Amino acid sequence: EPEVTQTPSHQVTQMGQEVILRCVPISNHLYFYWYRQILGQKVEFLVSFYNNEISEKSEIFDDQFSVERPDGSNFTLKIRSTKLEDSAMYFCASNLALPYEQYFGPGTRLTVT
Amino acid sequence: KNQVEQSPQSLIILEGKNCTLQCNYTVSPFSNLRWYKQDTGRGPVSLTIMTFSENTKSNGRYTATLDADTKQSSLHITASQLSDSASYICVVSAGYGGATNKLIFGTGTLLAVQP
């Protein structure tokens, strides 16, 4: 069964460093998303991406964040200068069309020290 | 403000018993409501998805209900198994079905099934 994959599973970085989280959505999907979950808190929407552009973003997704689909398979989330409060689990999701099911990846745990 | 609230926060039941989890939401415009199961350290996995015109939907031992008038939903789990131990999250999708499908997550109900 096709699935969303994410790498790395765990990333440790120092405050102020840039990180890139990578996702490979399900191959025929058209809509892509990033969410984050701070430990012990609920999942929060960050950004949705369709047709090679951002379709919606939350107030969390400020200028420090960017997304890219550099080729036909990868979908990346970049944090330019990480802060301690960026420590969280980051989930990528994709779906074929609206309003169908979003499939989530296993997540990348980002730890900023 | 769009919000999704769930109760109880946590629940412990014995294997084989049934349970019902509750969800209240204030989301506009409402597109659909989903229940997800999330194991610790893993991504959410979909159980059911319902539009405003659907009152109930089942997926095996999971049955979700939706009352769009009162903006309430429930998830009923029958004959619980140890593997049902997880966080169950109510998620409401906001949007008109255009180029976005923003999901608003509840805080989840942490279910522990004991032998």
Side-chain angles (χ1 to χ4, degrees), chain B residues 23-26 66-73:
Chain B
C23 173
N24 298 293
Y25 63 91
T26 52
L66 173 63
D67 185 334
D69 291 330
T70 61
K71 296 185 169 61
Q72 295 180 324
S73 175

Side-chain angles (χ1 to χ4, degrees), chain B residues 44-62:
Chain B
V45 175
S46 175
L47 297 175
T48 63
I49 177 170
M50 290 182 290
T51 63
F52 74 95
S53 61
E54 294 177 289
N55 296 323
T56 185
K57 183 162 280 190
S58 292
N59 177 4
R61 294 180 297 102
Y62 302 103

